[in-house]
Amino acid sequence: MLQIQPAWETTKRRSSKILAEGVPVGIFHTDAKGTCLYVNDCWCKLTGLTPKEALGQGWHKGIHPDDRERVLEAWNLALQANQPFNSEYRLVRADGSIAWALTQAVGEIGEDRQVTGWIGTAVDITERHRLEQDLRDRAQFLHSIYEGTDQFIFVLEVLIEGEYSFAGCNRTGERLLGIASGEFIGQTPEAVFGVTKGGSLRQRLLDCMSAGTSIHYEECYLIDNAETWWLTTLNPLKDDLGRIYRIIGTANDITERKQAEIERQNLVSIVDNNSDFIALASAEGKPFYINAAGRKLLGIGSWSEATGLNMFRFFMPEDLERVVLRHIVPAVMDVGSWSGELRLRHFQTGKPIPVDYSIFKIKNPETGETIGLATVCRDITERKRSEEAVRRSSTLFQEMAAREALLNRISTLIRNSLELDKILKNVVEQIASLLQIE
């Protein structure tokens, strides 16, 4: 509908122009055909055109070339239909800068109820448009994350009386659940996940509501007949009154991490309960792990007592320079490992502990850089005692055999000779030989 306005009288036109110069928006006036008759100073500042340049159709050249055709088409349609004009478009100023303007105009009605001209405003909306574009860019960015991430993202509306309903999820969620997001919008947790899992999620939602802040939890789910672990975060959204009206959930598949943790725990359990001495140290020799068997072997009461030690103090002092620094350390630095028999020192008694000793470098699998040392030792005290017992038994056996051979030789001499002096001389020589004396 044509907006009806009374015709301005000459005096009122002058007053209106004076008023137009004082308002903080651009004002323009055209005749019935859209020919520009007047622009105020604010309009000139917005467009970068002078009043003289704007007259007639001159105001067209202030419109951005990419918007000009669209704006003039809408302007001409408004003139032909006698309908209000409303358009947002870009302006190009003389210095090349770009401004956004919201322009509106209505027909000026004369006494014969015919359009005699158009009066309009132009408002600088550059900042508003920038903020709107920032919001659109941010929304697009968030949408790309929402749809492109491997995280399962879901949204729940918080309804009255503690009820919750799904408002949607991303494509990862659709793939995991096997249903389209639209199919469970408006559904309760139990309707989507079943009574057990849905009830568990409901309790987590209640926990989030009670906490009033983000919560995190881990849970195991059976997907495609395989156990998968998920780390879920629930983030509450609050309105201006501080009431939670929506909860955003993100779930990350942590199955690999969980399996690694379980494997690591099993390995630690095996190592810690192993009867051999197992220790880890920095490249400088500062221990950061000694298992219980190792601490017991060395006479170290607790791990806290070991933290201030250096691995070089584990050896007998007389072996440190002669064996460890001269042979073992160079071998480890050169080939990466060393194995052999060595003596460790008991920290309470100072006595030596014979061990089968193995030491090797720990390397970063990605860079190959040495990041530490590992040692595995086995107490061979009992084996050494057994070896000594065997050695002593062997020596005793050899001595007994030698004595028996001596007696046999003496008996032979007695049987074969009646010369007492000769017999005594041979006996003395045999006994001296057996006892290894002159």
Side-chain angles (χ1 to χ4, degrees):
M1 294 296 293
L2 183 64
Q3 183 171 345
I4 306 299
Q5 296 183 358
W8 288 0
E9 299 176 0
T10 303
T11 55
K12 290 183 179 180
R13 289 182 186 274
R14 295 196 187 99
S15 299
S16 296
K17 288 184 178 180
I18 294 173
L19 179 62
E21 292 299 330
V23 296
V25 297
I27 302 292
F28 64 91
H29 183 216
T30 73
D31 62 15
K33 295 181 179 181
T35 302
C36 183
L37 304 175
Y38 165 79
V39 292
N40 71 345
D41 185 58
C42 190
W43 188 94
C44 293
K45 290 179 181 179
L46 173 61
T47 62
L49 298 175
T50 65
K52 185 177 180 180
E53 290 173 328
L55 295 179
Q57 308 301 322
W59 63 277
H60 295 178
K61 63 183 179 183
I63 304 174
H64 192 286
D66 293 342
D67 295 345
R68 188 175 298 153
E69 182 178 351
R70 171 180 62 83
V71 174
L72 294 181
E73 182 179 356
W75 173 244
N76 290 326
L77 286 176
L79 295 180
Q80 295 170 13
N82 289 335
Q83 294 291 328
F85 172 75
N86 189 316
S87 182
E88 292 184 10
Y89 54 88
R90 289 169 293 177
L91 296 167
V92 182
R93 299 182 174 120
D95 60 2
S97 62
I98 304 295
W100 277 87
L102 168 61
T103 298
Q104 297 174 304
V106 294
E108 187 179 25
I109 308 302
E111 293 181 355
D112 57 357
R113 305 188 65 81
Q114 296 297 314
V115 173
T116 61
W118 293 82
I119 186 73
T121 61
V123 179
D124 188 348
I125 59 169
T126 304
E127 182 62 19
R128 191 200 80 185
H129 194 274
R130 186 189 65 79
L131 293 175
E132 290 175 349
Q133 186 61 46
D134 286 347
L135 290 175
R136 285 192 294 269
D137 292 344
R138 189 173 302 177
Q140 180 62 35
F141 174 72
L142 293 176
H143 182 75
S144 65
I145 295 176
Y146 181 77
E147 294 297 352
T149 182
D150 289 334
Q151 290 183 330
F152 174 17
I153 303 177
F154 55 93
V155 183
L156 290 117
E157 300 289 352
V158 179
L159 308 178
I160 59 174
E161 299 178 357
E163 191 53 79
Y164 308 94
S165 69
F166 278 94
C169 75
N170 65 346
R171 292 173 185 170
T172 299
E174 292 179 336
R175 177 174 53 81
L176 291 171
L177 298 174
I179 56 177
S181 177
E183 295 181 27
F184 64 82
I185 290 179
Q187 301 292 325
T188 64
E190 291 80 2
V192 175
F193 294 107
V195 176
T196 303
K197 295 295 184 183
S200 175
L201 176 57
R202 178 180 294 275
Q203 183 58 52
R204 301 292 188 180
L205 295 170
L206 289 171
D207 293 342
C208 181
M209 295 284 290
S210 298
T213 187
S214 299
I215 66 169
H216 314 273
Y217 60 92
E218 295 180 3
E219 281 190 330
C220 182
Y221 295 95
L222 193 64
I223 299 178
D224 295 332
N225 296 320
E227 283 190 349
T228 58
W229 282 88
W230 295 84
L231 171 62
T232 302
T233 301
L234 299 179
N235 298 290
L237 301 182
K238 300 179 181 181
D239 60 20
D240 294 339
L241 298 178
R243 294 177 298 194
I244 299 173
Y245 67 94
R246 185 175 297 157
I247 295 177
I248 309 295
T250 58
N252 293 299
D253 186 349
I254 59 170
T255 304
E256 290 186 5
R257 191 200 80 187
K258 203 69 177 179
Q259 290 173 343
E261 287 179 357
I262 293 172
E263 291 175 0
R264 185 163 57 249
Q265 290 170 357
N266 292 337
L267 179 60
V268 169
S269 178
I270 292 172
V271 170
D272 214 35
N273 292 288
N274 197 287
S275 59
D276 289 338
F277 170 16
I278 301 175
L280 304 174
S282 68
E284 295 74 28
K286 182 177 177 58
F288 53 83
Y289 173 78
I290 302 176
N291 68 346
R295 297 195 299 272
K296 182 179 179 181
L297 179 66
L298 295 176
I300 299 174
S302 64
W303 167 242
S304 61
E305 295 179 26
T307 55
L309 300 176
N310 188 287
M311 63 179 292
F312 291 111
R313 294 186 60 192
F314 294 175
F315 308 106
M316 293 299 293
E318 56 268 33
D319 294 344
L320 183 59
E321 177 66 32
R322 181 173 57 87
V323 180
V324 177
L325 297 179
R326 185 174 299 178
H327 299 289
I328 297 179
V329 172
V332 172
M333 294 298 102
D334 185 28
V335 299
S337 64
W338 183 90
S339 296
E341 290 188 7
L342 194 63
R343 298 187 304 169
L344 299 181
R345 179 175 68 90
H346 194 280
F347 276 79
Q348 300 300 322
T349 65
K351 293 182 178 180
I353 307 166
V355 295
D356 272 336
Y357 187 80
S358 294
I359 184 171
F360 52 90
K361 292 180 180 179
I362 304 173
K363 295 184 177 182
N364 185 316
E366 296 180 357
T367 64
E369 179 186 2
T370 300
I371 57 176
L373 299 168
T375 182
V376 179
C377 304
R378 176 163 293 178
D379 185 357
I380 58 173
T381 302
E382 291 302 320
R383 191 184 83 188
K384 284 294 186 181
R385 287 174 181 169
S386 298
E387 289 175 353
E388 179 63 19
V390 169
R391 187 188 64 79
R392 289 179 179 177
S393 297
S394 177
T395 302
L396 180 60
F397 177 78
Q398 291 173 359
E399 290 175 353
M400 292 176 64
R403 290 192 185 101
E404 185 176 352
L406 174 60
L407 291 175
N408 289 335
R409 288 194 296 273
I410 293 173
S411 297
T412 300
L413 287 172
I414 293 173
R415 285 196 303 269
N416 296 332
S417 177
L418 295 177
E419 299 179 13
L420 184 59
D421 291 340
K422 186 178 181 179
I423 292 173
L424 290 174
K425 181 180 179 181
N426 285 324
V427 168
V428 170
E429 290 176 354
Q430 295 290 335
I431 292 174
S433 176
L434 176 66
L435 297 178
Q436 297 181 350
I437 60 176
E438 294 295 332

